Amino acid sequence: MSKKLKYGMVGGSLDAFIGEVHRKAAALDSKFSLVAGAFSSSPEKSKKTGEALGLDPSRVYGSYKEMIEKESELPEEERIDVVSIVTPNHVHFDPAKLALENGFHVIMDKPITFNSQEAKDLKGIVDETGRVLALTHTYTGYPMVKEAKEYVRNGKLGKLRKVYVEYPQGWLSLPLEEDGDKQASWRTDPSRSGAGGSIGDIGTHAANLAEYVTGLKITNICADLNTKVPGRQLDDDAAALLKFEDGVSGVLMVSQIAAGEENDIKVRVYGEKAGLEWKQSDQNTLLFKPLDGPAQIIRTGTGYVSDLAKANTRTPAGHPEGYLEAFANIYVAFHKAVTDHQSGEFKSADNYDFPDVVDGIRGMVFVDTMIESSKSETKWTPFKV
């Protein structure tokens, strides 16, 4: 068994959503052990969370600054290896910066920072410290998303022509933020979420998924942003025409007011010879649609899938692998990078299959470009990183 990495968590108190997701994902393959945490800006809430998780009280801290300072003072064999950041967007940059500068590797929720400048500054710190930073764009962790990437890479679609990516949700169809809903409150608050609402929360996932599967970067955006719920401060609905490298065109749709929808992120890619389709509501299936033959159903766990898909699959065919497993695949790839770093074998994040700080920057610039394009009368706006 490979070395278990010790980690400390920033954010993720008992009443938070994404912190528990990170903890379950990190634990799934027995490659990480949670030993420390600053789970809330409230020291009392942090203490109660640590107690509930069975942690040593001496390693449950009142702030992330205290955690990083105290853990840095411990002997190397005792201190944490990794800091996991699961806070709202406005509390991403500072703990990541402090952790990297004190010698810790970082894995964090998306979007990477509050704004683009922070993301670019964070890349400078990653480059300077040489530490590993991973970003949890969850949906790239699914085996059939990786299979789709391999189909494109191996030329099974021929020259790419068109990409459609969509992420509809309906949970913000009503003004939940006015009723004190914690998740809605910070996501619709520009002082905590940043400049983007739906485009920052789920639009960055859609854009990242399209770029991951196709291997192409978005170069231009023509966007339309909307706020449908009266009084809401940020966008809750958006659509865009996209231009990718190599002359490929695309369409992106994200909405958090699509009543009745859950989290059915979906991507379709079309080339000159074939198309493919994947959606989270049927996550174990990839549809491959050749021009000169019947559609084919490709399934997770089968013997005919690529080595990349097999490496990210845990169960035999017919046993569903879902959101937590996809999330865990990012943690597994991050674990490999960190242990390689510790053994002196790490080269660069490009050698590992997880979203990194460069992907994080692209996510923030995506938000900026969507907003700029939506406000522009000329509409087509260059995507400049």
Side-chain angles (χ1 to χ4, degrees):
M1 181 180 289
S2 57
K3 174 187 175 182
K4 225 177 192 183
L5 296 176
K6 299 180 290 295
Y7 78 101
M9 180 167 279
V10 178
S13 64
L14 293 177
D15 60 351
F17 160 67
I18 203 65
E20 184 60 19
V21 171
H22 275 258
R23 288 191 286 267
K24 288 175 178 176
L28 190 59
D29 297 280
S30 300
K31 293 182 180 295
F32 292 87
S33 179
L34 178 65
V35 300
F39 300 104
S40 172
S41 56
S42 162
E44 184 61 27
K45 186 182 284 189
S46 181
K47 179 181 177 182
K48 288 182 179 179
T49 302
E51 288 176 354
L53 295 173
L55 299 188
D56 179 345
S58 69
R59 298 183 78 173
V60 179
Y61 303 97
S63 70
Y64 67 81
K65 292 180 181 178
E66 182 188 11
M67 183 184 80
I68 292 170
E69 177 185 348
K70 296 296 185 183
E71 290 292 321
S72 298
E73 295 171 354
L74 294 175
E76 186 173 351
E77 64 275 12
E78 295 179 23
R79 70 174 70 126
I80 56 175
D81 303 288
V82 167
V83 173
S84 175
I85 301 171
V86 298
T87 53
N89 306 348
H90 71 299
V91 194
H92 281 190
F93 177 77
D94 286 343
K97 176 179 184 293
L98 196 61
L100 292 165
E101 290 176 342
N102 280 272
F104 300 113
H105 305 280
V106 171
I107 185 166
M108 60 197 302
D109 211 48
K110 61 97 266 272
I112 192 167
T113 51
F114 186 70
N115 57 45
S116 295
Q117 188 56 56
E118 284 187 350
K120 292 172 183 177
D121 291 345
L122 195 57
K123 182 181 185 302
I125 297 165
V126 170
D127 292 343
E128 182 180 344
T129 62
R131 298 291 153 172
V132 182
L133 186 147
L135 192 64
T136 52
H137 274 300
T138 316
Y139 308 102
T140 61
Y142 280 105
M144 287 298 95
V145 169
K146 297 185 182 298
E147 185 74 352
K149 181 181 181 68
E150 289 293 270
Y151 269 50
V152 171
R153 190 179 68 84
N154 291 330
K156 291 189 176 182
L157 276 66
K159 179 175 172 53
L160 298 190
R161 290 174 171 170
K162 193 78 177 180
V163 180
Y164 293 90
V165 63
E166 59 187 75
Y167 196 156
Q169 295 178 336
W171 75 288
L172 284 177
S173 290
L174 299 176
L176 300 182
E177 62 270 30
E178 295 179 6
D179 298 327
D181 184 289
K182 181 177 179 179
Q183 297 301 321
S185 294
W186 78 258
R187 282 178 169 83
T188 58
D189 178 0
S191 70
R192 290 182 286 172
S193 181
S198 65
I199 56 172
D201 193 22
I202 58 176
T204 51
H205 274 313
N208 178 261
L209 179 63
E211 291 193 339
Y212 180 81
V213 171
T214 63
L216 302 173
K217 303 300 184 188
I218 299 168
T219 61
N220 294 81
I221 293 176
C222 176
D224 178 44
L225 272 59
N226 300 285
T227 304
K228 295 295 187 180
V229 174
R232 184 164 284 162
Q233 299 182 71
L234 294 173
D235 63 275
D236 51 23
D237 175 80
L241 300 177
L242 307 175
K243 290 183 180 178
F244 292 81
E245 296 169 321
D246 295 344
V248 176
S249 61
V251 179
L252 176 145
M253 183 279 281
V254 296
S255 182
Q256 294 181 307
I257 49 86
E261 295 289 351
E262 296 176 346
N263 288 276
D264 197 15
I265 187 170
K266 177 179 180 179
V267 62
R268 289 172 287 163
V269 182
Y270 298 98
E272 60 186 0
K273 297 192 298 185
L276 58 78
E277 176 181 328
W278 176 87
K279 58 183 178 180
Q280 183 171 234
S281 61
D282 188 13
Q283 74 276 13
N284 274 27
T285 297
L286 174 68
L287 293 180
F288 177 65
K289 308 172 184 179
L291 183 64
D292 56 356
Q296 300 172 23
I297 297 174
I298 315 301
R299 295 282 291 169
T300 300
T302 52
Y304 52 73
V305 298
S306 66
D307 289 342
L308 181 61
K310 288 176 182 176
N312 287 274
T313 303
R314 294 170 179 78
T315 59
H319 294 74
E321 297 216 8
Y323 180 76
L324 290 175
E325 288 86 352
F327 216 109
N329 284 336
I330 295 174
Y331 265 89
V332 169
F334 175 64
H335 177 276
K336 172 63 174 170
V338 172
T339 53
D340 280 357
H341 189 284
Q342 292 177 337
S343 66
E345 298 176 8
F346 179 81
K347 293 180 179 142
S348 76
D350 294 339
N351 296 297
Y352 302 88
D353 188 26
F354 61 78
D356 62 7
V357 68
V358 174
D359 296 292
I361 291 172
R362 292 193 64 79
M364 297 313 302
V365 175
F366 166 79
V367 171
D368 292 345
T369 311
M370 288 285 287
I371 293 170
E372 182 183 353
S373 172
S374 186
K375 293 178 178 178
S376 168
E377 293 183 1
T378 56
K379 301 311 290 181
W380 278 111
T381 305
F383 189 112
K384 297 180 180 178
V385 177

